[in-house]
Amino acid sequence: MAVAVAEDGDTTNHWVTKVGGVKQAFDTEIVDQEPDDRIAWRSTDGKSLAGIIRFTPLDANHTNVKVHFEWAPETVTENTGAALKIDKMQVKSDMRKFKDFIESRGTETGGWRGEVEDSGPTGQL
């Protein structure tokens, strides 16, 4: 699953994923955000998915990033990929790419850093 995420607004995003060669797009809303601590989102267009990323500072130059992502495969290809844990392997690969991207910049990307209070359930997170 390759992932591209574009900000549509302060708390809305448009995602494009590719699972087993099948491209899908969906929209999400940020439901809980505290800068430098966590960001949680859920789908807004009928897809069954939600996620949270937690950031834990280790020292002045290092941060542990933990991802929890839940989704409901809808096609045979997606179900096969999930059964073989290809989705989890791709998330790990995408996180390594994200790490490389952030480290190459040396600073954050300048996205909105406001707080969002938890506005209810985020799927099964």
Side-chain angles (χ1 to χ4, degrees), residues 47-87:
K47 302 283 183 190
S48 179
L49 58 93
I52 186 167
I53 299 177
R54 295 199 171 269
F55 305 91
T56 305
L58 301 176
D59 60 37
N61 297 313
H62 299 91
T63 299
N64 183 44
V65 179
K66 187 178 250 186
V67 177
H68 180 80
F69 187 84
E70 294 181 0
W71 68 298
E74 297 177 348
T75 67
V76 172
T77 301
E78 290 174 352
N79 278 298
T80 301
L84 296 172
K85 301 197 185 304
I86 293 171
D87 53 349

Side-chain angles (χ1 to χ4, degrees), residues 32-39 55 108 112-116:
D32 188 26
Q33 175 173 298
E34 184 172 329
D36 304 321
D37 181 61
R38 70 187 174 282
I39 183 168
F55 305 91
E108 64 193 49
W112 182 72
R113 292 182 47 81
E115 289 188 22
V116 176

Side-chain angles (χ1 to χ4, degrees), residues 83-109:
L84 296 172
K85 301 197 185 304
I86 293 171
D87 53 349
K88 291 181 180 186
M89 290 186 291
Q90 187 63 54
V91 169
K92 286 182 182 182
S93 173
D94 289 342
M95 289 305 297
R96 281 191 295 274
K97 291 174 190 172
F98 176 72
K99 176 184 183 290
D100 293 343
F101 169 73
I102 293 298
E103 288 178 349
S104 72
R105 289 182 51 87
T107 185
E108 64 193 49
T109 61

